[in-house]
Amino acid sequence: EYGSFMQPAYPKHNYDNADGSRLLLWGSFKSGKVLYDARSFKLIKALDTRAVGWGQPIDPRWDAHNPDMLYYHFSPATALSQYNVKTDQFEVIHDFIKDFPGATSITMDEEGDCSYDSRYFAFQLKAPRGGDRWAHAAVFCHDRVENKIVGRLELYNCFISQ
């Protein structure tokens, strides 16, 4: 009924929320992003597929103070969004296509994190370059409170080979 597997997110960032009451796990149930009660380990719900897709990498980060709020990116792939897990309300905070025309996506590649107060987010920006639709084109820091980019470094002829 709840899928065949569950596992914590990549362990370089917290998979428990601000007050330790919920866990966000990856699994094979509904959207693949599943919320559990951290004390009883009982399923609460799967996140809404309209917000997070199914099995898509969304780089979710819990808010440092609000135990109901997640920050992530999914659709559009160039936007930072927020999701209230209590109300299932979600919205785009900022779409970086306005700042980087032609960008294809933003990512933290599971390695990055937001600041301890959940105000600043560092992202890699991917954009077409030299025939590669997903080339690393820039790194930048976004201030979520002021809703603006506070630092950026554009990468020229910088390709990461797999």
Side-chain angles (χ1 to χ4, degrees), residues 127-135 157-159:
R129 179 163 293 156
D132 182 355
R133 179 168 158 73
W134 306 102
N157 299 319
C158 179
F159 298 96

Side-chain angles (χ1 to χ4, degrees), residues 100 105 107 109 122-130 132 134-141 151-161:
F100 299 97
S105 71
T107 184
D109 275 343
F123 291 106
Q124 295 176 34
L125 178 92
K126 295 185 180 187
R129 179 163 293 156
D132 182 355
W134 306 102
H136 291 82
V139 287
F140 66 96
C141 182
R152 67 193 278 168
L153 174 65
E154 295 190 22
L155 310 171
Y156 298 101
N157 299 319
C158 179
F159 298 96
I160 308 228
S161 60

Side-chain angles (χ1 to χ4, degrees), residues 78 96-104 125 138-140 149 151-152 154:
T78 53
F96 299 101
I97 198 77
K98 299 169 191 167
D99 306 290
F100 299 97
T104 51
L125 178 92
V139 287
F140 66 96
I149 294 175
R152 67 193 278 168
E154 295 190 22

Side-chain angles (χ1 to χ4, degrees), residues 78-82 91-96 98-99 118-121 123 140-151:
T78 53
L80 175 63
S81 298
Q82 64 184 19
E91 66 181 333
V92 169
I93 296 171
H94 189 97
D95 189 348
F96 299 101
K98 299 169 191 167
D99 306 290
S118 301
R119 179 173 180 166
Y120 300 99
F121 286 77
F123 291 106
F140 66 96
C141 182
H142 179 255
D143 180 333
R144 183 183 56 81
V145 174
E146 296 291 326
N147 197 22
K148 66 180 183 179
I149 294 175
V150 293

Side-chain angles (χ1 to χ4, degrees), residues 15-148:
Y15 54 92
D16 58 334
N17 66 345
D19 66 5
S21 64
R22 296 184 189 109
L23 303 172
L24 182 63
L25 302 176
W26 285 185
S28 56
F29 178 64
K30 294 191 178 180
S31 68
K33 280 65 169 190
V34 186
L35 207 57
Y36 274 82
D37 181 287
R39 292 171 184 91
S40 69
F41 295 105
K42 292 195 188 273
L43 174 71
I44 298 171
K45 64 182 169 184
L47 300 186
D48 191 325
T49 54
R50 292 173 300 154
V52 299
W54 189 91
Q56 301 298 314
I58 62 168
D59 280 340
R61 301 296 185 269
W62 286 105
D63 186 90
H65 306 289
N66 181 345
D68 298 326
M69 190 63 65
L70 275 173
Y71 302 106
Y72 68 101
H73 63 87
F74 169 64
S75 182
T78 53
L80 175 63
S81 298
Q82 64 184 19
Y83 187 113
N84 185 311
V85 299
K86 190 173 189 175
T87 65
D88 282 324
Q89 297 297 305
F90 52 91
E91 66 181 333
V92 169
I93 296 171
H94 189 97
D95 189 348
F96 299 101
I97 198 77
K98 299 169 191 167
D99 306 290
F100 299 97
T104 51
S105 71
I106 60 169
T107 184
M108 289 185 269
D109 275 343
E110 290 289 349
E111 299 289 339
D113 208 347
C114 56
S115 60
Y116 288 120
D117 60 1
S118 301
R119 179 173 180 166
Y120 300 99
F121 286 77
F123 291 106
Q124 295 176 34
L125 178 92
K126 295 185 180 187
R129 179 163 293 156
D132 182 355
R133 179 168 158 73
W134 306 102
H136 291 82
V139 287
F140 66 96
C141 182
H142 179 255
D143 180 333
R144 183 183 56 81
V145 174
E146 296 291 326
N147 197 22
K148 66 180 183 179

